[in-house]
Amino acid sequence: MSTFLVRMPSGVRYWTVVDDDWVPVPAADAYLRHLRLGTDRAEGTTRTYAGDLACYLGWCEASGRDLVAGAKTLAMFVAMLRTTPVTRAGSGQGRVRSPGRINHLLAAVREFYKHAVADGVLDASVLVSLFEVGDDRNLPAELRPEATGLRYRARPRHVQRSRRAGRPVPVRREEAEALLRACRCWRDRFLLVLLWFCGLRIGEALGLRRSDLHLVSTAAALGCSTPGPHVHVVGRDNPNRARAKSGDRVVPIRAEVLSCFDRYLGERAACPAAEGCDFVLVNLGHQLLGQGMTTDSVRKWLAVLSTRAGLERRVTPHMFRHATATELLARGASIDVVKELLGHSSIRATEVYLHPDVDALRAAVDRLGPIDVGKTIR
């Protein structure tokens, strides 16, 4: 089993699972197509899920199991994942999967089965092998809903115990300033200050179109009621595969972003190939000249820039987003404001940034009152 990119006549693309004869696996293809079209998930999401399903369906085929038998013996699949090194090319090649990665893969398998049941491909009884049903009878009365009767919930049967995720690692201010000094063009500086002050995901930044930038005090003439300079993050399919993850939102921008953008426009105007491109951030000096930048190219550029700036670690685009959230909360912004600025779907995703740094911990200890420890030991 392997993954395959499907290009639809409408231009929409999604990844599916094909067998050794390059024939799509019907149940998997139906689920991945639904994931892309029915739930508007990104192309990259279908690629990840297709890879996970190809792994599972390949195991079923190699072991002579159909989908029902595979669900009943899913523990054997988990054992294979825990003991068999990854063979595909990539950062994890040659190593066994971590518990967290196994849980992600199992989640994809469970969603695949749920869709197959809803689609009538499998009988609902197969879900008993994947989920166990619990109720709230043992919960304290304060935690039970007001409605009478028991409430039931399904819990996955196969979950690996994984370590608690570490705190987000933000880029430090001095690192960001060193990166800015190491930039060789205003486009690069514009991208860095955009990430630093706006907290955009890299896909959101690279997916910006020129019509998304409202850089004047009022854009009422354009039909926009938001006052002040701002950008519109819009969820759309882009040819450079950049995509807003959590839908549309408005993000205010600061004077530093405007200043760098004005200087970048001069560089862009000197590149005739960029004239017809609607993307804000375009390639100025290498292959695909004048076209929208890609996530992979930015990650590679930032790794090189980290070395050029003399940093001790490699900075990634998402570390700027962590820095924005951490800085806003440290300067007194409320968590609901930070949630809206970052475009989090749940406030729980924002809560991970409510962590004190070492300096804050030290300051808290220093504020403890004195204690008399005595002068001699008897």
Side-chain angles (χ1 to χ4, degrees), residues 197-277:
F197 286 113
C198 298
L200 302 182
R201 300 176 178 91
I202 188 59
E204 295 170 343
L206 300 184
L208 289 174
R209 306 296 183 94
R210 287 186 283 186
S211 59
D212 298 332
L213 304 186
H214 293 176
L215 307 182
V216 292
S217 57
T218 176
L222 301 176
C224 177
S225 60
T226 303
H230 59 276
V231 299
H232 287 264
V233 177
V234 181
R236 58 168 74 95
D237 291 318
N238 295 305
N240 64 347
R241 302 187 185 180
R243 182 180 170 90
K245 180 179 179 181
S246 54
D248 303 352
R249 72 182 189 278
V250 174
V251 181
I253 58 176
R254 286 175 48 116
E256 293 89 340
V257 181
L258 293 174
S259 176
C260 291
F261 180 71
D262 285 341
R263 290 169 170 82
Y264 161 52
L265 286 180
E267 297 175 345
R268 180 185 172 116
C271 178
E275 183 177 353
C277 183

Side-chain angles (χ1 to χ4, degrees), residues 19-325:
D19 59 21
D20 293 340
D21 296 322
W22 297 98
V23 176
V25 179
D29 184 67
Y31 168 61
L32 293 165
R33 187 171 60 251
H34 166 75
L35 198 66
R36 184 71 173 98
L37 303 178
T39 63
D40 195 30
R41 303 296 288 273
E43 176 191 325
T45 301
T46 65
R47 182 176 187 175
T48 301
Y49 276 59
D52 293 342
L53 293 181
C55 177
Y56 174 68
L57 296 174
W59 172 80
C60 287
E61 183 182 52
S63 59
R65 295 177 170 89
D66 59 14
L67 291 178
V68 175
K72 291 181 178 179
T73 57
L74 193 62
M76 299 299 295
F77 176 63
V78 174
M80 183 278 292
L81 295 176
R82 295 180 59 179
T83 57
T84 305
V86 176
T87 57
R88 60 165 176 76
S91 58
Q93 187 176 26
R95 301 196 302 266
V96 296
R97 296 169 178 83
S98 67
R101 180 69 189 94
I102 293 175
N103 285 335
H104 279 291
L105 199 154
L106 293 175
V109 171
R110 287 191 293 268
E111 292 300 314
F112 162 66
Y113 272 96
K114 286 164 59 177
H115 182 269
V117 169
D119 223 20
V121 176
L122 295 174
D123 187 77
S125 60
V126 72
L127 298 179
V128 176
S129 302
L130 304 175
F131 298 94
E132 58 184 3
V133 178
D135 57 52
D136 59 2
R137 72 180 68 195
N138 294 320
L139 288 177
E142 295 80 6
L143 298 181
R144 294 182 187 175
E146 295 182 1
T148 59
L150 292 177
R151 291 176 63 90
Y152 295 92
R153 62 187 185 277
R155 297 180 299 182
R157 289 186 178 274
H158 308 86
V159 178
Q160 299 297 291
R161 183 181 302 174
S162 59
R163 291 182 297 179
R164 185 177 180 179
R167 320 188 289 192
V169 180
V171 61
R172 296 186 291 270
R173 178 177 291 272
E174 57 271 20
E175 291 176 324
E177 292 173 346
L179 290 170
L180 285 168
R181 289 192 297 268
C183 288
R184 294 176 176 173
C185 65
W186 284 104
R187 182 208 61 184
D188 296 347
R189 290 186 179 182
F190 167 65
L191 174 57
L192 292 184
V193 296
L194 184 69
L195 295 177
W196 175 268
F197 286 113
C198 298
L200 302 182
R201 300 176 178 91
I202 188 59
E204 295 170 343
L206 300 184
L208 289 174
R209 306 296 183 94
R210 287 186 283 186
S211 59
D212 298 332
L213 304 186
H214 293 176
L215 307 182
V216 292
S217 57
T218 176
L222 301 176
C224 177
S225 60
T226 303
H230 59 276
V231 299
H232 287 264
V233 177
V234 181
R236 58 168 74 95
D237 291 318
N238 295 305
N240 64 347
R241 302 187 185 180
R243 182 180 170 90
K245 180 179 179 181
S246 54
D248 303 352
R249 72 182 189 278
V250 174
V251 181
I253 58 176
R254 286 175 48 116
E256 293 89 340
V257 181
L258 293 174
S259 176
C260 291
F261 180 71
D262 285 341
R263 290 169 170 82
Y264 161 52
L265 286 180
E267 297 175 345
R268 180 185 172 116
C271 178
E275 183 177 353
C277 183
D278 192 38
F279 285 108
V280 172
L281 290 155
V282 299
N283 299 317
L284 295 178
H286 56 83
Q287 59 180 352
L288 302 179
L289 190 67
Q291 298 186 27
M293 301 174 69
T294 65
T295 301
D296 288 342
S297 66
V298 170
R299 288 199 178 100
K300 292 176 183 177
W301 160 74
L302 200 49
V304 173
L305 189 66
S306 300
T307 302
R308 188 192 309 158
L311 303 185
E312 296 179 353
R313 60 177 179 170
R314 177 181 298 179
V315 172
T316 65
H318 212 66
M319 292 169 66
F320 282 87
R321 182 171 166 84
H322 295 327
T324 305

